[in-house]
Amino acid sequence: QQQVKQSPQSLIVQKGGISIINCAYENTAFDYFPWYQQFPGKGPALLIAIRPDVSEKKEGRFTISFNKSAKQFSLHIMDSQPGDSATYFCAATSGGSNYKLTFGKGTLLTVNP
Amino acid sequence: ETGVTQTPRHLVMGMTNKKSLKCEQHLGHNAMYWYKQSAKKPLELMFVYSLEERVENNSVPSRFSPECPNSSHLFLHLHTLQPEDSALYLCASSQDPGSGELFFGEGSRLTVL
């Protein structure tokens, strides 16, 4: 019940295309859903996050879509650029005294020039 | 120095060695974490410290021993490790424990021979 399932495992997109990464969860107590971006040799960095009271959040070219009834959320990267090539992790937490941030397995995104 | 810094960046040790990983955060955060990152696996939470008190020990073997002498420093003491412990060990901090907004260091790549 604590799992977050992420797909696809890897994704290749042409420059200018749309990258879409999907995540699904089971625990209805989760109330905060961040996405992290990790470049090779670096630690993960918070990219964008959403709470279940909204269905969409956009920051620049990055958008999270959230479907509470389906217990799914996704990251869309518009106008993908080679500099976006990285591993992306979705995560979820119920916060409070639950200190655990549950991560998906990650998606390796490659954006070809 | 800014953010979260980890040393050493790379460590090779034998199964009988004793070594330590060091983490320092310069963000004034109240919580610090150790995560283990292995290939094709979700990030695994190991330990959480809130205001220097350990609040989470995620069933980690006793060959890993954390220490948090103050709110800015976190150590992971390693002894009699196994080859399967080879991984990237990530330190992170957050303003509050249970927050999903983690700031990660670049990690310490550990190889156990």
Side-chain angles (χ1 to χ4, degrees), chain B residues 57-70:
Chain B
N57 177 352
N58 202 28
S59 302
V60 179
S62 59
R63 58 186 182 268
F64 295 91
S65 175
E67 178 189 1
C68 187
N70 55 61

mmCIF file with all atom_site columns, all heavy atoms in Angstrom, chain B residues 57-70:
data_model
loop_
_atom_site.group_PDB
_atom_site.id
_atom_site.type_symbol
_atom_site.label_atom_id
_atom_site.label_alt_id
_atom_site.label_comp_id
_atom_site.label_asym_id
_atom_site.label_entity_id
_atom_site.label_seq_id
_atom_site.pdbx_PDB_ins_code
_atom_site.Cartn_x
_atom_site.Cartn_y
_atom_site.Cartn_z
_atom_site.occupancy
_atom_site.B_iso_or_equiv
_atom_site.pdbx_formal_charge
_atom_site.auth_seq_id
_atom_site.auth_comp_id
_atom_site.auth_asym_id
_atom_site.auth_atom_id
_atom_site.pdbx_PDB_model_num
ATOM 1   N N   . ASN B 1 57 ? 13.914 4.800  12.073 1.00 0.00 ? 57 ASN B N   1
ATOM 2   C CA  . ASN B 1 57 ? 14.960 3.850  11.721 1.00 0.00 ? 57 ASN B CA  1
ATOM 3   C C   . ASN B 1 57 ? 14.266 2.791  10.890 1.00 0.00 ? 57 ASN B C   1
ATOM 4   O O   . ASN B 1 57 ? 13.554 1.948  11.417 1.00 0.00 ? 57 ASN B O   1
ATOM 5   C CB  . ASN B 1 57 ? 15.576 3.249  12.980 1.00 0.00 ? 57 ASN B CB  1
ATOM 6   C CG  . ASN B 1 57 ? 16.626 2.182  12.655 1.00 0.00 ? 57 ASN B CG  1
ATOM 7   O OD1 . ASN B 1 57 ? 16.790 1.787  11.505 1.00 0.00 ? 57 ASN B OD1 1
ATOM 8   N ND2 . ASN B 1 57 ? 17.322 1.721  13.662 1.00 0.00 ? 57 ASN B ND2 1
ATOM 9   N N   . ASN B 1 58 ? 14.449 2.866  9.597  1.00 0.00 ? 58 ASN B N   1
ATOM 10  C CA  . ASN B 1 58 ? 13.625 2.093  8.686  1.00 0.00 ? 58 ASN B CA  1
ATOM 11  C C   . ASN B 1 58 ? 14.151 0.672  8.511  1.00 0.00 ? 58 ASN B C   1
ATOM 12  O O   . ASN B 1 58 ? 14.486 0.254  7.415  1.00 0.00 ? 58 ASN B O   1
ATOM 13  C CB  . ASN B 1 58 ? 13.562 2.821  7.338  1.00 0.00 ? 58 ASN B CB  1
ATOM 14  C CG  . ASN B 1 58 ? 12.357 2.414  6.529  1.00 0.00 ? 58 ASN B CG  1
ATOM 15  O OD1 . ASN B 1 58 ? 11.328 2.037  7.080  1.00 0.00 ? 58 ASN B OD1 1
ATOM 16  N ND2 . ASN B 1 58 ? 12.469 2.490  5.220  1.00 0.00 ? 58 ASN B ND2 1
ATOM 17  N N   . SER B 1 59 ? 14.247 -0.066 9.632  1.00 0.00 ? 59 SER B N   1
ATOM 18  C CA  . SER B 1 59 ? 14.685 -1.465 9.595  1.00 0.00 ? 59 SER B CA  1
ATOM 19  C C   . SER B 1 59 ? 16.040 -1.621 8.923  1.00 0.00 ? 59 SER B C   1
ATOM 20  O O   . SER B 1 59 ? 16.238 -2.503 8.087  1.00 0.00 ? 59 SER B O   1
ATOM 21  C CB  . SER B 1 59 ? 13.639 -2.340 8.865  1.00 0.00 ? 59 SER B CB  1
ATOM 22  O OG  . SER B 1 59 ? 12.387 -2.237 9.491  1.00 0.00 ? 59 SER B OG  1
ATOM 23  N N   . VAL B 1 60 ? 16.950 -0.744 9.288  1.00 0.00 ? 60 VAL B N   1
ATOM 24  C CA  . VAL B 1 60 ? 18.286 -0.779 8.690  1.00 0.00 ? 60 VAL B CA  1
ATOM 25  C C   . VAL B 1 60 ? 19.196 -1.683 9.523  1.00 0.00 ? 60 VAL B C   1
ATOM 26  O O   . VAL B 1 60 ? 19.160 -1.619 10.761 1.00 0.00 ? 60 VAL B O   1
ATOM 27  C CB  . VAL B 1 60 ? 18.866 0.648  8.634  1.00 0.00 ? 60 VAL B CB  1
ATOM 28  C CG1 . VAL B 1 60 ? 20.266 0.632  8.045  1.00 0.00 ? 60 VAL B CG1 1
ATOM 29  C CG2 . VAL B 1 60 ? 17.952 1.561  7.830  1.00 0.00 ? 60 VAL B CG2 1
ATOM 30  N N   . PRO B 1 61 ? 20.016 -2.519 8.867  1.00 0.00 ? 61 PRO B N   1
ATOM 31  C CA  . PRO B 1 61 ? 20.924 -3.391 9.627  1.00 0.00 ? 61 PRO B CA  1
ATOM 32  C C   . PRO B 1 61 ? 21.855 -2.597 10.528 1.00 0.00 ? 61 PRO B C   1
ATOM 33  O O   . PRO B 1 61 ? 22.230 -1.453 10.218 1.00 0.00 ? 61 PRO B O   1
ATOM 34  C CB  . PRO B 1 61 ? 21.715 -4.105 8.522  1.00 0.00 ? 61 PRO B CB  1
ATOM 35  C CG  . PRO B 1 61 ? 20.849 -4.031 7.316  1.00 0.00 ? 61 PRO B CG  1
ATOM 36  C CD  . PRO B 1 61 ? 20.092 -2.742 7.428  1.00 0.00 ? 61 PRO B CD  1
ATOM 37  N N   . SER B 1 62 ? 22.252 -3.200 11.623 1.00 0.00 ? 62 SER B N   1
ATOM 38  C CA  . SER B 1 62 ? 23.058 -2.497 12.630 1.00 0.00 ? 62 SER B CA  1
ATOM 39  C C   . SER B 1 62 ? 24.466 -2.176 12.139 1.00 0.00 ? 62 SER B C   1
ATOM 40  O O   . SER B 1 62 ? 25.184 -1.408 12.799 1.00 0.00 ? 62 SER B O   1
ATOM 41  C CB  . SER B 1 62 ? 23.141 -3.334 13.906 1.00 0.00 ? 62 SER B CB  1
ATOM 42  O OG  . SER B 1 62 ? 23.724 -4.597 13.622 1.00 0.00 ? 62 SER B OG  1
ATOM 43  N N   . ARG B 1 63 ? 24.876 -2.714 11.000 1.00 0.00 ? 63 ARG B N   1
ATOM 44  C CA  . ARG B 1 63 ? 26.187 -2.357 10.467 1.00 0.00 ? 63 ARG B CA  1
ATOM 45  C C   . ARG B 1 63 ? 26.199 -0.912 9.954  1.00 0.00 ? 63 ARG B C   1
ATOM 46  O O   . ARG B 1 63 ? 27.249 -0.373 9.623  1.00 0.00 ? 63 ARG B O   1
ATOM 47  C CB  . ARG B 1 63 ? 26.608 -3.342 9.375  1.00 0.00 ? 63 ARG B CB  1
ATOM 48  C CG  . ARG B 1 63 ? 25.660 -3.461 8.197  1.00 0.00 ? 63 ARG B CG  1
ATOM 49  C CD  . ARG B 1 63 ? 26.135 -4.582 7.267  1.00 0.00 ? 63 ARG B CD  1
ATOM 50  N NE  . ARG B 1 63 ? 25.306 -4.724 6.085  1.00 0.00 ? 63 ARG B NE  1
ATOM 51  C CZ  . ARG B 1 63 ? 24.272 -5.531 6.002  1.00 0.00 ? 63 ARG B CZ  1
ATOM 52  N NH1 . ARG B 1 63 ? 23.923 -6.270 7.057  1.00 0.00 ? 63 ARG B NH1 1
ATOM 53  N NH2 . ARG B 1 63 ? 23.550 -5.605 4.871  1.00 0.00 ? 63 ARG B NH2 1
ATOM 54  N N   . PHE B 1 64 ? 25.026 -0.304 9.873  1.00 0.00 ? 64 PHE B N   1
ATOM 55  C CA  . PHE B 1 64 ? 24.914 1.120  9.576  1.00 0.00 ? 64 PHE B CA  1
ATOM 56  C C   . PHE B 1 64 ? 24.516 1.831  10.870 1.00 0.00 ? 64 PHE B C   1
ATOM 57  O O   . PHE B 1 64 ? 23.471 1.513  11.461 1.00 0.00 ? 64 PHE B O   1
ATOM 58  C CB  . PHE B 1 64 ? 23.845 1.388  8.514  1.00 0.00 ? 64 PHE B CB  1
ATOM 59  C CG  . PHE B 1 64 ? 24.160 0.815  7.169  1.00 0.00 ? 64 PHE B CG  1
ATOM 60  C CD1 . PHE B 1 64 ? 23.734 -0.462 6.829  1.00 0.00 ? 64 PHE B CD1 1
ATOM 61  C CD2 . PHE B 1 64 ? 24.878 1.542  6.236  1.00 0.00 ? 64 PHE B CD2 1
ATOM 62  C CE1 . PHE B 1 64 ? 24.015 -0.996 5.585  1.00 0.00 ? 64 PHE B CE1 1
ATOM 63  C CE2 . PHE B 1 64 ? 25.162 1.017  4.989  1.00 0.00 ? 64 PHE B CE2 1
ATOM 64  C CZ  . PHE B 1 64 ? 24.731 -0.253 4.656  1.00 0.00 ? 64 PHE B CZ  1
ATOM 65  N N   . SER B 1 65 ? 25.312 2.804  11.275 1.00 0.00 ? 65 SER B N   1
ATOM 66  C CA  . SER B 1 65 ? 25.062 3.482  12.535 1.00 0.00 ? 65 SER B CA  1
ATOM 67  C C   . SER B 1 65 ? 25.066 4.989  12.306 1.00 0.00 ? 65 SER B C   1
ATOM 68  O O   . SER B 1 65 ? 26.107 5.562  11.990 1.00 0.00 ? 65 SER B O   1
ATOM 69  C CB  . SER B 1 65 ? 26.136 3.102  13.556 1.00 0.00 ? 65 SER B CB  1
ATOM 70  O OG  . SER B 1 65 ? 25.975 3.830  14.746 1.00 0.00 ? 65 SER B OG  1
ATOM 71  N N   . PRO B 1 66 ? 23.922 5.647  12.462 1.00 0.00 ? 66 PRO B N   1
ATOM 72  C CA  . PRO B 1 66 ? 23.889 7.094  12.234 1.00 0.00 ? 66 PRO B CA  1
ATOM 73  C C   . PRO B 1 66 ? 24.271 7.870  13.479 1.00 0.00 ? 66 PRO B C   1
ATOM 74  O O   . PRO B 1 66 ? 24.181 7.378  14.612 1.00 0.00 ? 66 PRO B O   1
ATOM 75  C CB  . PRO B 1 66 ? 22.424 7.335  11.869 1.00 0.00 ? 66 PRO B CB  1
ATOM 76  C CG  . PRO B 1 66 ? 21.688 6.324  12.691 1.00 0.00 ? 66 PRO B CG  1
ATOM 77  C CD  . PRO B 1 66 ? 22.591 5.106  12.775 1.00 0.00 ? 66 PRO B CD  1
ATOM 78  N N   . GLU B 1 67 ? 24.679 9.111  13.249 1.00 0.00 ? 67 GLU B N   1
ATOM 79  C CA  . GLU B 1 67 ? 24.986 10.008 14.359 1.00 0.00 ? 67 GLU B CA  1
ATOM 80  C C   . GLU B 1 67 ? 24.638 11.419 13.926 1.00 0.00 ? 67 GLU B C   1
ATOM 81  O O   . GLU B 1 67 ? 24.993 11.835 12.823 1.00 0.00 ? 67 GLU B O   1
ATOM 82  C CB  . GLU B 1 67 ? 26.474 9.935  14.727 1.00 0.00 ? 67 GLU B CB  1
ATOM 83  C CG  . GLU B 1 67 ? 26.876 10.884 15.849 1.00 0.00 ? 67 GLU B CG  1
ATOM 84  C CD  . GLU B 1 67 ? 28.388 10.964 16.052 1.00 0.00 ? 67 GLU B CD  1
ATOM 85  O OE1 . GLU B 1 67 ? 29.126 10.286 15.307 1.00 0.00 ? 67 GLU B OE1 1
ATOM 86  O OE2 . GLU B 1 67 ? 28.814 11.729 16.930 1.00 0.00 ? 67 GLU B OE2 1
ATOM 87  N N   . CYS B 1 68 ? 23.958 12.146 14.790 1.00 0.00 ? 68 CYS B N   1
ATOM 88  C CA  . CYS B 1 68 ? 23.588 13.528 14.483 1.00 0.00 ? 68 CYS B CA  1
ATOM 89  C C   . CYS B 1 68 ? 23.988 14.406 15.663 1.00 0.00 ? 68 CYS B C   1
ATOM 90  O O   . CYS B 1 68 ? 23.197 14.604 16.580 1.00 0.00 ? 68 CYS B O   1
ATOM 91  C CB  . CYS B 1 68 ? 22.093 13.617 14.205 1.00 0.00 ? 68 CYS B CB  1
ATOM 92  S SG  . CYS B 1 68 ? 21.539 15.240 13.625 1.00 0.00 ? 68 CYS B SG  1
ATOM 93  N N   . PRO B 1 69 ? 25.203 14.947 15.662 1.00 0.00 ? 69 PRO B N   1
ATOM 94  C CA  . PRO B 1 69 ? 25.689 15.716 16.809 1.00 0.00 ? 69 PRO B CA  1
ATOM 95  C C   . PRO B 1 69 ? 25.022 17.074 16.953 1.00 0.00 ? 69 PRO B C   1
ATOM 96  O O   . PRO B 1 69 ? 24.982 17.619 18.069 1.00 0.00 ? 69 PRO B O   1
ATOM 97  C CB  . PRO B 1 69 ? 27.180 15.858 16.524 1.00 0.00 ? 69 PRO B CB  1
ATOM 98  C CG  . PRO B 1 69 ? 27.298 15.731 15.040 1.00 0.00 ? 69 PRO B CG  1
ATOM 99  C CD  . PRO B 1 69 ? 26.215 14.786 14.612 1.00 0.00 ? 69 PRO B CD  1
ATOM 100 N N   . ASN B 1 70 ? 24.522 17.622 15.860 1.00 0.00 ? 70 ASN B N   1
ATOM 101 C CA  . ASN B 1 70 ? 23.793 18.896 15.907 1.00 0.00 ? 70 ASN B CA  1
ATOM 102 C C   . ASN B 1 70 ? 22.911 18.978 14.673 1.00 0.00 ? 70 ASN B C   1
ATOM 103 O O   . ASN B 1 70 ? 22.969 18.107 13.792 1.00 0.00 ? 70 ASN B O   1
ATOM 104 C CB  . ASN B 1 70 ? 24.751 20.091 16.003 1.00 0.00 ? 70 ASN B CB  1
ATOM 105 C CG  . ASN B 1 70 ? 25.770 20.108 14.890 1.00 0.00 ? 70 ASN B CG  1
ATOM 106 O OD1 . ASN B 1 70 ? 25.403 20.198 13.717 1.00 0.00 ? 70 ASN B OD1 1
ATOM 107 N ND2 . ASN B 1 70 ? 27.045 19.996 15.235 1.00 0.00 ? 70 ASN B ND2 1
#
